[in-house]
């Protein structure tokens, strides 16, 4: 049998250096990661054995065993899962996805404890063993392979690893850590049981350790010691947490299960655990995380929740069980009705899956509504000292996230994703609309709901006004807001890239139409008195000749030129027609390489502005007309089609 040496992939070598030099302040996480990997290996065997039961061989039991030898300075985690072939050991333990490595390193903060918690999120948890070990030996045999096709993988965590074929009677994998002298606390039964109870009690497989008992010294003066009994004790509950009655599961257990499920060591904002009965029977345990994952906007990333059928693991990311706009949800669904050999294709066609998806969606929206109500109640009952007396009626509260802050946290992390639901989920559009939050001309933070806005509307106001822009500053200082600010009319400020698209599916809220202040002619209806209307009409008549000259000068840039009452301090602004595509959306499509229809804007001028009054008598009329248009374009967030020409015209006037 020959031993082969292999060099680690560069990214793995970099990761190992980080593990051994930076993450040592929180060493205990290695056991959590190794047990999690062992559990995953057993889940994979259970799934593959659905099609080929012979994979179990003469080892029908799926379990994790932990052994230690204090004198030999070793700790071993053994599973009876799917195991690895020699090629798989080289691939899985010697290389990792470059994209995952890059993202892992980009998230590092320098805080050793926080950085250590990241390690499981990026598929690199195995390497955490080197936090406590100066050498790791892995012995494995893949299910279905002969006993002489086992493999031994050995590395000291430096630049290379060795692989050799071995004979291994048992299926599965053993990971042996050769502990460093400063990590011998992990070769202690009490310590290991404490860590398993803390991190892995919810694992659905039995985690076993050899029993120990105290034995007094055989001779007088000889100290007693713990000795192995030869019997194996199960030291975790070894039942799927979601199958237990809610009353039997503590908050700490729910949070611990989430941490293992999501590889996220920050407590979730909320969760919901329910058994649903009826035409479709299933159990759901759904979590709302407290922060966005690094790949939330990665379109290639599969997002879904874990699917089990009668407690048998089927797949990690069942996308069909949750709509795309709720892709941040983590959780488990255990169905009593789906076949064990369910495929992704069948999931797309199944009526039961559609029922589960609808039930999951309703449950998540209910959780969000509960958080939003708690926030509103807290805001209403905060006393003069700023101390809230609201009690969180949802038992999913976390100690470090007050009930009144939960929805604000959710919106900061996931609000832009939820907005996608306006276009994707017609059935729940009204519920989603009530959950939306925006900044406005009265609040720089996105805390204003459409219901809040409507309750504050001025008498005679017939629309909910909003503006979209690339940034909050651009929205706040847009010329289109001047008349609204003058009259004290609130305008919602929308700065997410998804806003323009999502609002195309939301024409009104509770019977009140939504109106962009940058589309169409401004019409304040009853908010504008008769004297103002007559003055505007007179001004438009007085500058008719000027409008015609501007139309001629800007015929290639502007679809029309007209007088407006929306401007107070600015000379001009750009708008589009009521049914036209906004200029911001057109820019985003162009940046994404999408085709954009020819959509010239309308130039609106303020006849009372000194610059407009000078236009008629200026010897540089054409240059001023183009400068007026380009400045309006800049104020709106765009760029002149010919920046050099704009600079040349401005310089000529300044000379």
């Amino acid at each position: 049998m020959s031993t082969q040496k292999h060099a680690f992939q560069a990214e793995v070598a970099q990761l190992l250096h980080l593990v051994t030099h930076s993450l040592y302040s929180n060493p205990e996480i290695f056991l959590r990661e190794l047990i999690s990997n062992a559990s995953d290996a057993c889940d994979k065997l259970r799934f593959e054995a659905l099609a080929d039961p012979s994979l179990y061989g003469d080892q029908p039991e799926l379990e994790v065993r932990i052994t230690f030898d204090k004198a030999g300075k070793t700790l071993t985690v053994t599973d009876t899962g799917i195991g690895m072939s020699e090629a798989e050991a080289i691939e899985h333990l010697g290389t990792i996805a470059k994209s995952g490595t890059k993202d892992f390193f980009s998230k590092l903060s320098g805080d050793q404890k926080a950085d250590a918690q990241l390690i499981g999120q990026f598929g690199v948890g195995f390497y955490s063993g080197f936090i406590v070990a100066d050498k790791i030996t892995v012995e494995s045999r893949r299910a279905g392979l002969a006993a002489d096709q086992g493999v031994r993988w050995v590395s000291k965590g430096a630049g290379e690893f060795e692989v050799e074929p071995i004979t291994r009677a048992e299926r599965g994998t053993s990971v042996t850590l050769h502990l460093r002298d400063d990590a011998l606390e992990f070769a202690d039964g009490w310590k290991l049981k404490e860590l398993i109870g803390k991190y892995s009690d919810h694992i659905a497989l039995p985690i076993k350790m050899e029993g120990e008992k105290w034995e007094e010294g055989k001779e007088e003066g000889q100290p007693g010691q713990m000795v192995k009994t030869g019997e194996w004790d199960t030291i975790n509950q070894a039942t799927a947490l979601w199958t237990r009655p809610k009353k039997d599961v503590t908050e700490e257990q729910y949070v611990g299960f989430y941490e293992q499920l999501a590889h996220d060591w920050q407590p979730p904002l909320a969760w919901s655990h329910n058994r649903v009965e009826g035409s479709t029977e299933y159990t759901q345990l759904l979590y709302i995380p407290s922060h966005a994952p690094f790949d939330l906007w990665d379109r290639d990333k599969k997002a879904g929740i874990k699917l089990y059928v009668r407690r048998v693991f089927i797949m990690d990311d069942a996308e069909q069980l949750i709509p795309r706009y709720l892709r941040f949800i983590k959780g488990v669904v255990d169905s009593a009705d789906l076949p064990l050999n369910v495929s992704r294709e069948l999931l797309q066609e199944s009526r039961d899956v559609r029922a589960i998806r609808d039930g999951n969606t309703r449950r998540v929206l209910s959780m969000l509504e509960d958080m939003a109500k708690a926030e509103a109640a807290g805001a209403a009952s905060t006393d003069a000292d700023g101390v809230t007396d609201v009690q969180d009626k949802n038992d999913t509260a976390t100690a470090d996230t007050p009930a009144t802050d939960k929805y604000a946290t959710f919106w900061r992390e996931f609000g832009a994703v939820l907005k996608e639901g306006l276009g994707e989920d017609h059935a729940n559009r009204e519920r989603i609309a009530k959950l939306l939050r925006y900044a406005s001309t009265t609040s720089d933070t996105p805390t204003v709901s459409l219901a809040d806005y409507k309750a504050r509307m001025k008498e005679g106001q017939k629309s909910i006004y909003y503006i979209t822009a690339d940034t909050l500053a651009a929205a706040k200082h847009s010329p289109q807001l001047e008349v609204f600010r003058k009259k004290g009319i609130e305008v919602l400020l929308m700065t997410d890239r998804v806003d323009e698209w999502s609002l195309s599916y939301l024409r009104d809220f509770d019977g009140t139409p939504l109106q962009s202040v940058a589309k169409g002619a401004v019409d304040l209806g009853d908010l504008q008195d008769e004297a103002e209307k007559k003055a505007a009409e007179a001004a438009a008549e007085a500058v008719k000749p000027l409008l015609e000259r501007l139309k001629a000068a800007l015929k290639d840039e502007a679809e029309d030129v007209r007088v407006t009452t929306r401007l107070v301090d600015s000379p001009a602004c750009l708008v589009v027609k009521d049914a036209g595509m906004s200029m911001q959306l057109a820019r985003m499509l162009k940046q994404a390489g999408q085709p954009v229809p020819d959509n010239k804007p309308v130039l609106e001028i303020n006849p009372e502005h000194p610059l407009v009054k000078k236009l008629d008598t200026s010897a540089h009329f054409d240059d001023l007309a183009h400068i007026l248009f380009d400045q309006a374009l800049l104020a709106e967030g765009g760029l002149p089609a010919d920046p050099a020409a704009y600079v040349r015209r401005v310089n000529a006037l300044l000379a």
Side-chain angles (χ1 to χ4, degrees):
M1 295 185 181
S2 60
T3 300
Q4 302 174 26
K5 286 191 176 182
H6 298 265
F8 277 118
Q9 177 194 31
E11 286 78 13
V12 178
Q14 186 181 3
L15 176 69
L16 289 172
H17 179 81
L18 171 78
V19 165
T20 53
H21 291 82
S22 301
L23 302 186
Y24 50 80
S25 69
N26 194 29
E28 63 189 35
I29 61 117
F30 82 91
L31 188 61
R32 176 194 73 200
E33 295 300 328
L34 294 183
I35 292 176
S36 179
N37 288 349
S39 173
D40 288 346
C42 291
D43 277 343
K44 288 174 183 174
L45 174 61
R46 187 186 283 128
F47 179 65
E48 289 195 19
L50 293 175
D52 183 6
S54 67
L55 290 175
Y56 284 117
D58 57 359
Q59 292 177 267
E61 297 298 322
L62 296 177
E63 62 184 19
V64 179
R65 290 194 174 194
I66 296 176
T67 57
F68 62 90
D69 179 355
K70 197 155 197 171
K73 301 181 183 179
T74 62
L75 169 64
T76 302
V77 178
T78 300
D79 67 69
T80 56
I82 192 68
M84 290 180 287
S85 65
E86 182 175 335
E88 287 172 329
I90 294 170
E91 178 185 357
H92 297 330
L93 304 182
T95 63
I96 47 180
K98 290 189 178 182
S99 59
T101 319
K102 179 181 177 183
D103 286 319
F104 174 69
F105 287 120
S106 72
K107 290 289 180 180
L108 296 178
S109 64
D111 180 333
Q112 292 177 5
K113 189 167 184 178
D115 290 345
Q117 302 291 19
L118 284 172
I119 196 163
Q121 297 182 38
F122 298 85
V124 293
F126 166 77
Y127 303 103
S128 63
F130 285 106
I131 299 175
V132 297
D134 51 23
K135 183 172 82 169
I136 294 180
T137 301
V138 178
E139 294 188 351
S140 187
R141 177 172 66 82
R142 201 183 201 287
L145 295 183
D148 62 358
Q149 291 184 276
V151 61
R152 179 182 292 123
W153 180 100
V154 182
S155 177
K156 293 184 177 180
E160 60 186 21
F161 59 92
E162 296 180 353
V163 174
E164 65 176 316
I166 62 170
T167 297
R168 178 180 168 91
E170 304 84 9
R171 175 196 72 234
T173 302
S174 296
V175 179
T176 299
L177 307 183
H178 302 266
L179 299 171
R180 296 200 302 264
D181 289 340
D182 59 358
L184 291 182
E185 63 176 311
F186 299 110
D188 176 82
W190 289 107
K191 179 67 174 179
L192 293 171
K193 287 178 182 178
E194 175 195 346
L195 295 180
I196 292 166
K198 179 179 179 180
Y199 290 119
S200 306
D201 190 57
H202 50 270
I203 295 288
L205 297 166
I207 301 173
K208 296 182 177 181
M209 286 180 60
E210 194 173 357
E212 291 182 297
K213 67 177 181 180
W214 180 260
E215 187 177 88
E216 296 290 349
K218 294 180 179 179
E219 298 179 9
E220 188 175 349
Q222 185 179 4
Q225 61 180 344
M226 297 295 292
V227 295
K228 304 285 178 65
T229 64
E231 297 179 354
W232 291 90
D233 299 330
T234 299
I235 53 178
N236 66 325
Q237 292 212 28
T239 57
L241 180 136
W242 64 87
T243 64
R244 303 182 211 162
K246 284 194 283 188
K247 62 182 177 59
D248 295 341
V249 185
T250 66
E251 181 173 321
E252 289 74 19
Q253 288 172 327
Y254 276 122
V255 172
F257 180 72
Y258 168 78
E259 290 176 346
Q260 182 266 337
L261 176 78
H263 292 291
D264 177 9
W265 317 115
Q266 295 182 31
L269 289 173
W271 61 84
S272 181
H273 181 193
N274 302 278
R275 178 170 175 76
V276 181
E277 297 179 340
S279 58
T280 301
E281 292 189 14
Y282 60 95
T283 299
Q284 60 180 192
L285 175 53
L286 306 174
Y287 291 90
I288 299 176
S290 58
H291 66 101
F294 72 99
D295 51 6
L296 182 65
W297 299 102
D298 182 354
R299 291 186 174 275
D300 296 327
K301 163 73 175 172
K302 286 184 178 179
I305 53 186
K306 279 184 180 285
L307 173 63
Y308 288 75
V309 174
R310 295 184 289 281
R311 303 184 193 179
V312 175
F313 172 74
I314 302 298
M315 64 184 72
D316 260 320
D317 45 17
E319 298 168 292
Q320 294 82 0
L321 299 183
I322 202 82
R324 182 75 181 158
Y325 72 92
L326 297 179
R327 59 186 175 273
F328 51 84
I329 293 296
K330 302 295 183 183
V332 168
V333 164
D334 193 341
S335 169
D337 301 316
L338 292 173
L340 284 171
N341 62 347
V342 65
S343 64
R344 291 189 183 275
E345 291 70 31
L346 183 61
L347 285 179
Q348 292 175 342
E349 302 165 2
S350 168
R351 184 175 62 183
D352 289 330
V353 167
R354 286 196 294 273
I356 294 172
R357 175 191 174 100
D358 291 345
N360 288 341
T361 303
R362 289 192 297 270
R363 184 63 59 183
V364 172
L365 293 179
S366 294
M367 283 194 280
L368 295 177
E369 287 163 351
D370 289 343
M371 285 197 292
K373 287 174 186 173
E375 178 189 62
S381 61
T382 300
D383 63 27
D385 296 324
V387 178
T388 179
D389 60 7
V390 171
Q391 296 296 314
D392 184 10
K393 296 179 181 178
N394 186 339
D395 64 359
T396 63
T398 56
D400 57 352
T401 308
T404 51
D405 294 340
K406 284 184 178 182
Y407 197 71
T409 300
F410 164 79
W411 190 259
R412 182 179 66 248
E413 298 293 327
F414 304 109
V417 184
L418 185 66
K419 291 174 182 177
E420 296 174 8
L422 294 175
E424 296 176 5
D425 191 351
H426 174 76
N428 290 298
R429 189 174 296 158
E430 289 186 11
R431 293 183 72 178
I432 296 169
K434 292 177 182 177
L435 293 167
L436 302 177
R437 298 292 184 270
Y438 299 102
S440 83
T441 46
T442 65
S443 171
D444 283 356
T445 56
T447 57
V448 181
S449 69
L450 294 175
D452 292 338
Y453 181 101
K454 189 170 179 180
R456 296 198 291 259
M457 281 172 53
K458 285 185 169 294
E459 187 177 349
Q461 184 177 342
K462 293 183 171 61
S463 298
I464 295 172
Y465 294 108
Y466 70 89
I467 186 171
T468 58
D470 292 328
T471 65
L472 181 64
K476 284 174 64 177
H477 302 123
S478 172
Q480 281 101 333
L481 298 185
E482 290 176 359
V483 70
F484 295 92
R485 192 175 289 114
K486 177 183 177 182
K487 291 184 172 291
I489 302 170
E490 186 175 13
V491 178
L492 298 176
L493 310 178
M494 303 186 181
T495 56
D496 283 329
R497 296 176 71 86
V498 72
D499 283 327
E500 192 79 38
W501 173 83
S502 64
L503 286 178
S504 66
Y505 295 93
L506 188 68
R507 300 296 185 183
D508 65 83
F509 175 77
D510 196 20
T512 302
L514 275 71
Q515 173 63 48
S516 169
V517 301
K519 284 189 175 183
V522 64
D523 180 11
L524 298 180
D526 296 341
L527 298 176
Q528 192 173 32
D529 59 37
E530 286 302 316
E532 288 176 319
K533 291 178 182 178
K534 287 181 179 178
E537 291 169 2
E541 190 64 31
V543 297
K544 233 177 189 178
L546 175 62
L547 294 178
E548 294 303 321
R549 291 182 67 192
L550 284 170
K551 288 177 186 178
L554 299 172
K555 63 182 185 298
D556 295 329
E557 288 87 2
E559 182 174 321
D560 194 12
V561 182
R562 65 191 181 205
V563 168
T564 185
T565 57
R566 83 174 84 223
L567 297 172
V568 177
D569 302 315
S570 301
C573 69
L574 295 177
V575 297
V576 296
K577 290 193 171 181
D578 279 324
M581 179 185 294
S582 78
M583 299 179 71
Q584 187 202 24
L585 181 57
R587 282 197 301 274
M588 285 194 295
L589 290 174
K590 193 175 291 185
Q591 290 167 1
Q594 300 294 320
V596 179
D598 187 21
N599 189 29
K600 292 180 183 177
V602 174
L603 179 68
E604 293 190 340
I605 64 169
N606 175 5
E608 299 303 317
H609 195 279
L611 182 57
V612 174
K613 289 181 177 180
K614 286 181 180 179
L615 265 175
D616 235 355
T617 57
S618 173
H620 306 283
F621 182 88
D622 276 12
D623 282 346
L624 278 175
H626 282 91
I627 289 173
L628 200 65
F629 180 90
D630 287 342
Q631 286 184 339
L633 185 60
L634 287 166
E636 193 269 335
L639 286 173
D642 188 348
Y646 170 74
V647 172
R648 189 169 59 250
R649 290 186 180 110
V650 171
N651 288 345
L653 291 173
L654 292 174

